[in-house]
Amino acid sequence: MGASQLPSWLPVVNRLVKALQRAGLPLGTIHVLTVPGRISGRPRATPVSPLVVNGRRYVVAGLPRSDWAGNARAAGRGELARGRRREDVALTEVTDPDLRRAVMRAFPTEVPGGVDFFVRLGLVERGTPEQFAAAADQVAVFEIRPRAGVRT
């Protein structure tokens, strides 16, 4: 499988994760990010695992041309949910290569459960910070900032 195609199991797992989140059952570091579709405007939800680097929150798109990444670029906003907690957020793509590398270097420590996904995509062989930093130019990184505060 190349680094540009989704694993066949991903849609099934994503549906399960979203259903568990809607039921109020958070799973590890996983949140659900909902952004308006860039063509339809309809809400599109995908599981993500935010991480914190130097006090700022980020989310990584292992497939930078994925629908959710394109929607996030176009909308610049969304809703981040974990269990029953919801937050309106602004999403800004990180263009600074040094910052993208720093975020990716932190990923295997901050989101250890997400390492296998990047291995399966073929972006890294193992979960070392160095391999993740080296893959920074092959992913999209978005900074997450609060828009209207936390809603419950």
Side-chain angles (χ1 to χ4, degrees):
M1 173 179 48
S4 63
Q5 78 185 57
L6 290 172
S8 60
W9 50 264
L10 188 60
V12 173
V13 171
N14 281 351
R15 280 192 297 275
L16 176 64
V17 168
K18 289 185 287 187
L20 291 171
Q21 288 280 355
R22 276 192 304 274
L25 301 169
L27 300 169
T29 60
I30 299 174
H31 292 59
V32 174
L33 177 64
T34 303
V35 296
R38 61 192 174 282
I39 296 170
S40 70
R42 292 191 335 231
R44 302 292 184 189
T46 191
V48 296
S49 289
L51 63 148
V52 176
V53 176
N54 295 326
R56 297 168 87 169
R57 293 183 300 168
Y58 300 91
V59 65
V60 176
L63 298 171
R65 291 182 189 91
S66 64
D67 284 339
W68 84 259
N71 291 339
R73 275 186 203 99
R77 64 180 173 80
E79 179 184 80
L80 192 62
R82 184 159 195 268
R84 298 193 187 281
R85 183 178 170 156
R86 305 206 174 323
E87 178 184 10
D88 287 326
V89 295
L91 301 164
T92 306
E93 189 163 9
V94 174
T95 57
D96 177 352
D98 292 333
L99 180 53
R100 228 179 17 249
R101 274 191 293 281
V103 170
M104 285 297 286
R105 181 177 306 282
F107 189 91
T109 302
E110 293 285 316
V111 188
V115 169
D116 188 53
F117 180 72
F118 284 85
V119 170
R120 288 177 183 233
L121 287 178
L123 292 170
V124 298
E125 291 179 14
R126 297 179 319 279
T128 66
E130 294 74 25
Q131 282 192 357
F132 270 80
D137 291 336
Q138 300 174 57
V139 302
V141 175
F142 294 88
E143 182 177 0
I144 302 167
R145 293 181 325 276
R147 268 183 31 139
V150 175
R151 294 186 320 219
T152 55

